[in-house]
Amino acid sequence: MSVLTSLPPAFPVDKVEAIVDSLYGLNGSFAPLDSERDQNFRLTEANGQSWVVKIANQAEDVQALDFQAALLRHVAELDPALPLPHLKPTLNGEILGRCTSAEGTPHFVRVVGWLPGKPFAKGHKSTALFASFGETLGRLTKALQGFGHPGAARDFDWDVAQAGKSRARLAYIDEPEQRDIVEYFLDRFDAHVAPRLKRCRAQVIHGDANDYNVLVDSATGEQIAGIIDYGDAIHSPLINELAVAAAYAIMDRDAPIDDAGTMAAAFHRANPLQAEEIDLLFDLIAARLVISVTMSASRKDRSKDNAYLSISEAPAWNLLKRLRAMDPIIATGLLRQACGFEAVAGAKAVIAWLQDNRRSFAPVLDQAPATMRKGLVPFGDKTHQIAIASAARRPLEAEKLWAEIMAKDGIDLGVGPWGEDRPVYTADAFASTLSTGQRRSLHLGLDLFLDAGANVRTPLPGKVVDIYVSDLPLDYGHAILLEHTPAPGITFCSLWGHLSAESAKAVKIGDEMKAGAVVGQMGPNTENGGWQPHVHLQLIAYRPEKAADVIGAGEPGYAKVWAELFPSPAAFADLPAETFTKAGRAADDLLKVRKEKLVRNLSISYKTPMKIVRGEGVHLIDDRGRAYLDCYNNVAQLGHANPEIVEVLARQAALLNTNTRYLHDNIIAYAEKLTATLPKNLTVAGFVCSGSEANDLALRLARNYTQAQGTVALDWAYHGHLSSLIEISPYKYKRKGGKGRPATTGEAMLPDAYRAPADWPKAEIAARYAASVTTAIDQLAQAGHKPAAFIAESLPSSAGQIVLPQGYLKAAYAAARKAGAVIIADEVQIGFGRVGSHMWAFDSHDAVPDIVTMGKPIGNGHPMAAMVTTREIADAFFNGMEYFNTFGGNPVSCAVGLKVLEILERDRLLANATRLGQSLIARMSKLMDRHDRIGDVRGQGLMLGIELVEDRMTKVPATDYAGRIVEKCRQLGVLLGTDGPHDNVIKMRPGMIFTDTNADFLMQVLETAFAEVA
């Protein structure tokens, strides 16, 4: 006979009084207490002290009772502050007394101390009380670690580890819906829980901390005052202790999983749980309820008169029904997060991988969303007519309203943000299953709005794992679920909702898709659940069983768990953060204050000034989240905000940044590395902060070495903004605000092969241009000056991307040297491999200067520059006057410079510049064949130019046309500039990390611009 099938004792009260008096010498008033299998009384003595008298079931084993006594003694020794009852020995000093019923049946008797307080079931259940409950259980289980007793090992139907036995009691459940619920949880227990539970930590646990076995202090109602009744103590998985307690504690609660999470978190603080244990908690709570309701059903006749058995039956069924409506993964995510774990294993790794690799993804649309003009569709504004129409299921009206906004604001792509709280989710299906009274209004995907029929593409390879079709209003309509495993240990899914019916027909489960493959098309409102056309793109950090299980909206109060279960797809879709949030002042305000607070000479690009807030790779991103392909800025040639550069800069800045009056490894290492890239005669470096400073220092060295003042420069050259450099920059002194050529400057002809005099034989162009250097030296002589230096860019940039004729530079250098001049190669704009074939452009002409200046790309955006010269010239400069530059050559700058050189070499970026440059020139030449106003296409590596003319015969500069082309390209998403003496040369200097995809987009934009601009 089992204690679960044997009826409880039924001693008359007067008989109990006599038994207790004889065994314990206690007397007073006796009040009966509810019990499933024992007969219990509260004994109150005349002095007010109370005891619990427990007459054990006749089937109770003495070993079990001894086990309970030993348990209480063990806990009292390890954590005496725990509110547990203590056993009173008999008058003979025994823990167990004995008595006999009128029928002659023997029973054991125990008297334990009465713990004050009221049952948890009858108290006000606050968050603090749930936390106290969890902490108390954590302490209790921690105290029981290592405790063992033969009585702990038993076969016991109330043990949650044995919940599978409840299947034998299914026949007692008459209601089909209830039976289905129980079967669902039993199936989950057998398939998913039982095998994993065997691998969990096990120990002795209380086993029945239900809401009537737990007492709450009467004074505050915020603390647990006692845990009583150890009759169900058993050796079982540790997590079952929490599961049993939570199963009863969270009954009839508005947000039961929240309360379970509060208990779990407090338990975890007192006795840390393992993630694998928390993963089972939701199902174990349900399993305990299944045991309870099936046990009650199997004892219907007895439970009618047994308050203990019947009191929790209705709440248990109610809670089971609520748990059945929940997604176990979501509920478990809440429990995991409550204990400090990620919502699902691997979620953070997925999020980090997406962020780290987002630059490599294929576009999610036919055009990369980052490069499109975007606007937020106002689903989150309950007062907006689009939100009102959508909530009322009037998609055509919403679609029309949005089309008007797009036309007015110049928007190409509508965006519905992840994490947006929306009033449009009005269907009954959006009622919360987790928290009574709440609604699922928080958008868990990313919406992209285009016309019906627009393609959507997977950024990564994926496999079709489910196809979902629904005609429910405001549902997904037609959806496709893909699984992605882009790297070892990284697996997640993407859901593509609101597609066309044809999209669902065009694929089948098991299909493999390559990156960039079309997933489907955006569906019309008649096929997409009743919405204006868009795709709902949602990421899932786990593998759902089917697409229908993926909720597209969640409760706002659970945003933290949604962020891990359903990460933002912004990186997956390559949408800049600025698409969703704006910071700082409006562009118009900035422009106004700029005019007031900054020198007016600062120029600003484009007719409509752009507010650029961030750079990333080859893109600049404006304050509306549009990424522009930057083909103009030749400074960040390794990419804007290059993470390696940023890291080394921050690391060194955190250690030391000071001047060159102290010894430091970085400046020496950088000088060695930099000079190793130059001809053997160029061995001595000087470090400054800008290209202008580098050229000024070069002039000082040249003038000191030659003791002359004259300088020969090329016409339309630009060498910097310092006074000394304005004087040798025709690009400045010949334009508005300039004072004309100084007597100390001689102008050599700009060696522009395209605009060479028509009567010059092609073979003589280089020599004839070089001869003008001698003419310029004569010009100086006539003014009474000797030439100190001949300075020239090795590929004049500001003069119009001029590729020097082969033979010119060598001849020009020779002519200048013959006159005693020092040769300065200005590589500030063109150096560091931009020409592709060589690190330095002068090397491509087999010419060797005496001084090289460099800047701009030297630090990839960090303000640094350098000058390198020969030992002889450097020694001459050592004349007693100190040369000092506060910031030039500082440890941070040199660390950055070293990293730039490392990346250039490691990533073979010179070869990339050569290959892409040749390809682009070939493609631009074909463009020239179709557009007569393109007079010349020229360049070397990734230093490119297109010269525009009104007529190819007259070569009249098409200045206005060039400006309109550049402006059109900006509108289309590519940043270019114009330069040259007449601002008619489209100037292109894309980053060295430019890719084929970038080149394709550049050419696509150029094709469109030349086709559309008159």
Side-chain angles (χ1 to χ4, degrees):
M1 181 178 294
S2 165
V3 293
L4 296 181
T5 57
S6 175
L7 293 172
F11 285 81
V13 175
D14 58 345
K15 177 66 172 176
V16 174
E17 292 175 346
I19 292 170
V20 172
D21 185 34
S22 65
L23 289 174
Y24 296 94
L26 297 174
N27 52 70
S29 62
F30 285 75
L33 300 172
D34 293 330
S35 176
E36 176 193 11
R37 56 183 183 269
D38 299 331
Q39 187 177 17
N40 297 339
F41 295 88
R42 176 180 178 178
L43 165 60
T44 304
E45 296 185 84
N47 61 7
Q49 185 172 1
S50 294
W51 304 87
V52 176
V53 177
K54 301 174 69 70
I55 300 178
N57 190 293
Q58 62 176 324
E60 194 70 80
D61 178 67
V62 65
Q63 186 180 63
L65 297 176
D66 183 66
F67 163 46
Q68 296 173 41
L71 183 157
L72 291 171
R73 289 196 300 272
H74 178 87
V75 173
E77 291 176 4
L78 268 70
D79 191 347
L82 273 171
L84 272 58
H86 65 277
L87 287 167
K88 180 176 180 62
T90 66
L91 294 174
N92 294 329
E94 297 175 333
I95 294 298
L96 297 176
R98 290 173 173 80
C99 67
T100 304
S101 70
E103 294 78 18
T105 305
H107 294 270
F108 291 106
V109 180
R110 288 168 293 164
V111 171
V112 298
W114 173 267
L115 293 177
K118 57 186 176 183
F120 184 93
K122 296 183 178 181
H124 170 69
K125 299 177 180 64
S126 64
T127 300
L129 181 57
F130 277 104
S132 177
F133 195 173
E135 179 191 7
T136 303
L137 289 177
R139 289 172 56 194
L140 176 59
T141 51
K142 188 172 184 179
L144 286 170
Q145 289 175 355
F147 171 69
H149 190 282
R154 53 181 175 149
D155 188 19
F156 188 49
D157 284 357
W158 283 100
D159 180 13
V160 179
Q162 302 175 49
K165 293 181 179 181
S166 299
R167 197 177 294 275
R169 298 188 289 272
L170 275 174
Y172 296 104
I173 299 175
D174 299 325
E175 177 61 44
E177 181 186 3
Q178 292 180 337
R179 190 163 55 248
D180 288 345
I181 291 174
V182 170
E183 283 187 307
Y184 166 79
F185 282 114
L186 285 175
D187 289 346
R188 284 188 58 84
F189 184 87
D190 291 340
H192 305 295
V193 180
R196 296 158 67 189
L197 195 59
K198 293 176 182 177
R199 297 192 291 270
C200 291
R201 298 174 296 170
Q203 64 171 73
V204 172
I205 62 173
H206 178 285
D208 191 22
N210 68 64
D211 47 355
Y212 279 89
N213 284 340
V214 177
L215 304 177
V216 179
D217 77 294
S218 300
T220 68
E222 301 280 303
Q223 296 292 320
I224 298 301
I227 298 181
I228 60 175
D229 192 351
Y230 290 77
D232 286 359
I234 191 171
H235 189 275
S236 189
L238 167 68
I239 190 64
N240 286 347
E241 186 79 284
L242 182 59
V244 171
Y248 296 95
I250 66 176
M251 289 179 181
D252 297 325
R253 296 287 294 168
D254 286 342
I257 301 302
D258 291 14
D259 296 330
T262 300
M263 292 179 66
F267 187 110
H268 183 66
R269 289 192 293 270
N271 188 11
L273 293 164
Q274 297 174 352
E276 295 78 11
E277 294 169 329
I278 300 171
D279 285 344
L280 302 179
L281 182 56
F282 173 82
D283 280 292
L284 292 172
I285 291 171
R288 176 62 179 210
L289 295 170
V290 164
I291 293 173
S292 178
V293 297
T294 58
M295 199 75 82
S296 293
S298 69
R299 304 180 192 177
K300 290 176 184 175
D301 293 339
R302 289 175 55 194
S303 64
K304 291 177 183 177
D305 300 320
N306 190 320
Y308 185 92
L309 289 173
S310 62
I311 196 167
S312 63
E313 184 174 7
W317 277 119
N318 291 336
L319 181 55
L320 272 173
K321 186 174 181 179
R322 290 195 65 183
L323 297 183
R324 177 63 183 90
M326 297 178 189
D327 184 334
I329 294 177
I330 292 174
T332 298
L334 290 168
L335 295 171
R336 286 175 61 99
Q337 278 196 346
C339 295
F341 296 98
E342 55 187 344
V344 67
K348 291 181 178 178
V350 167
I351 294 168
W353 188 92
L354 288 167
Q355 187 65 24
D356 292 343
N357 294 274
R358 67 191 190 283
R359 295 183 185 178
S360 64
F361 300 162
V364 73
L365 301 173
D366 289 344
Q367 180 179 342
T371 66
M372 300 173 75
R373 295 174 297 178
K374 296 174 286 293
L376 300 183
V377 179
F379 276 6
D381 181 358
K382 64 181 180 181
T383 65
H384 200 284
Q385 289 302 310
I386 287 180
I388 293 170
S390 298
R393 305 176 195 175
R394 301 194 301 269
L396 290 176
E397 180 183 339
E399 188 173 352
K400 180 183 177 183
L401 290 167
W402 176 243
E404 292 172 355
I405 292 174
M406 290 180 69
K408 174 178 173 289
D409 295 342
I411 294 170
D412 302 320
L413 175 66
V415 177
W418 177 93
E420 180 179 58
D421 197 359
R422 295 178 166 180
V424 298
Y425 299 132
T426 55
D428 293 342
F430 291 99
S432 175
T433 60
L434 295 169
S435 182
T436 302
Q438 286 197 39
R439 293 190 63 79
R440 295 189 296 109
S441 59
L442 200 72
H443 189 223
L444 302 182
L446 172 71
D447 289 343
L448 301 176
F449 293 78
L450 288 174
D451 292 337
N455 288 328
V456 293
R457 300 172 179 273
T458 174
L460 294 169
K463 181 172 70 174
V464 178
V465 293
D466 196 25
I467 301 166
Y468 176 64
V469 177
S470 168
D471 58 1
L472 294 174
L474 303 186
D475 200 356
Y476 290 132
H478 297 81
I480 295 173
L481 183 68
L482 301 182
E483 183 180 50
H484 309 275
T485 304
I490 301 295
T491 296
F492 63 96
C493 293
S494 61
L495 178 74
W496 308 74
H498 307 308
L499 302 180
S500 66
E502 186 58 36
S503 300
K505 296 175 183 176
V507 297
K508 61 182 182 297
I509 293 175
D511 281 356
E512 298 281 352
M513 292 187 176
K514 295 181 179 179
V518 173
V519 178
Q521 291 75 39
M522 297 185 191
N525 69 80
T526 54
E527 299 176 9
N528 72 2
W531 298 93
Q532 64 190 89
H534 72 284
V535 64
H536 169 92
L537 173 57
Q538 184 167 343
L539 300 186
I540 307 102
Y542 59 92
R543 168 68 186 276
E545 291 187 15
K546 51 187 183 297
D549 293 338
V550 181
I551 60 170
E555 297 84 343
Y558 300 128
K560 184 180 177 183
V561 77
W562 305 140
E564 290 184 351
L565 293 179
F566 309 112
S568 168
F572 188 71
D574 192 26
L575 278 180
E578 293 77 12
T579 302
F580 311 104
T581 57
K582 294 178 175 60
R585 299 184 183 185
D588 289 344
D589 183 40
L590 288 175
L591 186 61
K592 177 178 178 293
V593 177
R594 175 184 170 115
K595 292 176 179 178
E596 296 172 356
K597 297 297 182 182
L598 303 181
V599 292
R600 300 290 293 273
N601 309 62
L602 290 174
S603 64
I604 195 161
S605 299
Y606 306 108
K607 292 179 180 178
T608 302
M610 302 168 62
K611 182 181 178 183
I612 298 297
V613 296
R614 187 163 59 89
E616 183 175 41
V618 293
H619 292 95
L620 288 175
I621 300 163
D622 71 9
D623 59 334
R624 296 180 62 182
R626 188 181 189 188
Y628 292 85
L629 184 64
D630 184 6
C631 296
Y632 187 71
N633 188 334
N634 65 327
V635 175
Q637 67 176 22
L638 304 183
H640 295 284
N642 182 295
E644 291 186 79
I645 302 296
V646 171
E647 190 277 331
V648 75
L649 186 154
R651 177 160 32 92
Q652 181 58 53
L655 291 174
L656 173 70
N657 197 26
T658 188
N659 59 58
T660 53
R661 287 194 170 112
Y662 305 98
L663 295 177
H664 198 276
D665 291 306
N666 286 7
I667 191 171
I668 301 304
Y670 185 48
E672 291 174 336
K673 187 77 172 178
L674 183 63
T675 56
T677 69
L678 291 159
K680 292 182 179 179
N681 65 315
L682 300 172
T683 59
V684 183
F687 296 112
V688 290
C689 303
S690 70
S692 292
E693 286 188 38
N695 281 333
D696 179 75
L697 180 58
L699 275 182
R700 284 182 60 188
L701 265 70
R703 288 170 176 171
N704 177 79
Y705 182 73
T706 62
Q707 294 299 300
Q709 291 296 309
T711 303
V712 175
L714 300 182
D715 197 6
W716 291 108
Y718 173 65
H719 296 292
H721 64 83
L722 300 181
S723 297
S724 61
L725 304 175
I726 296 294
E727 292 176 355
I728 61 170
S729 297
Y731 182 84
K732 288 293 185 182
Y733 67 61
K734 294 172 80 168
R735 288 184 163 183
K736 185 181 293 186
K739 297 181 179 179
R741 181 180 63 84
T744 54
T745 299
E747 282 181 19
M749 295 176 69
L750 176 66
D752 182 354
Y754 175 66
R755 291 190 174 272
D759 59 345
W760 284 10
K762 189 173 182 179
E764 297 180 11
I765 289 177
R768 292 203 180 194
Y769 273 130
S772 72
V773 173
T774 299
T775 302
I777 291 171
D778 291 341
Q779 194 178 36
L780 287 174
Q782 291 172 8
H785 296 289
K786 293 181 179 180
F790 168 62
I791 184 169
E793 289 184 277
S794 309
L795 193 161
S797 177
S798 298
Q801 308 293 81
I802 304 299
V803 178
L804 301 178
Q806 277 298 322
Y808 166 79
L809 205 58
K810 201 167 187 178
Y813 281 8
R817 281 197 175 104
K818 184 177 179 180
V822 168
I823 308 301
I824 302 173
D826 182 344
E827 296 265 342
V828 170
Q829 296 202 63
I830 192 62
F832 291 92
R834 177 161 288 281
V835 296
S837 59
H838 296 80
M839 185 73 161
W840 310 105
F842 61 76
D843 275 336
S844 66
H845 293 271
D846 194 26
V848 180
D850 302 306
I851 301 176
V852 180
T853 58
M854 51 199 77
K856 291 190 184 292
I858 188 173
N860 202 60
H862 179 71
M864 59 184 292
M867 177 232 57
V868 180
T869 189
T870 64
R871 167 55 59 193
E872 183 180 359
I873 293 174
D875 285 349
F877 189 61
F878 185 55
N879 59 7
M881 180 185 292
E882 179 191 17
Y883 171 72
F884 177 71
N885 187 303
T886 303
F887 299 108
N890 67 75
V892 171
S893 295
C894 292
V896 168
L898 283 165
K899 179 57 71 171
V900 168
L901 293 176
E902 176 191 329
I903 295 171
L904 282 170
E905 180 179 1
R906 181 196 69 201
D907 296 347
R908 303 185 72 247
L909 294 182
L910 274 69
N912 187 59
T914 298
R915 182 182 64 82
L916 282 177
Q918 291 172 348
S919 172
L920 284 168
I921 287 175
R923 295 167 76 175
M924 290 176 190
S925 297
K926 291 181 180 179
L927 185 67
M928 178 178 173
D929 293 340
R930 299 192 299 277
H931 297 279
D932 292 342
R933 295 171 86 177
I934 298 179
D936 189 31
V937 171
R938 55 182 178 253
Q940 192 174 354
L942 290 177
M943 195 75 157
L944 306 165
I946 299 176
E947 181 159 356
L948 302 183
V949 294
E950 298 295 350
D951 179 84
R952 287 185 180 176
M953 293 299 293
T954 63
K955 300 182 181 179
V956 173
T959 301
D960 291 343
Y961 181 60
R964 293 197 301 274
I965 290 289
V966 167
E967 185 65 31
K968 183 64 175 180
C969 289
R970 182 199 67 81
Q971 293 172 11
L972 295 173
V974 172
L975 302 182
L976 304 170
T978 59
D979 225 325
H982 307 287
D983 277 325
N984 67 317
V985 180
I986 297 177
K987 190 173 182 178
M988 287 166 277
R989 304 172 300 184
M992 300 277 282
I993 61 169
F994 219 56
T995 66
D996 289 297
T997 300
N998 302 144
D1000 289 344
F1001 184 61
L1002 168 60
M1003 288 309 305
Q1004 174 189 326
V1005 167
L1006 286 172
E1007 294 271 6
T1008 302
F1010 277 103
E1012 295 183 1
V1013 175

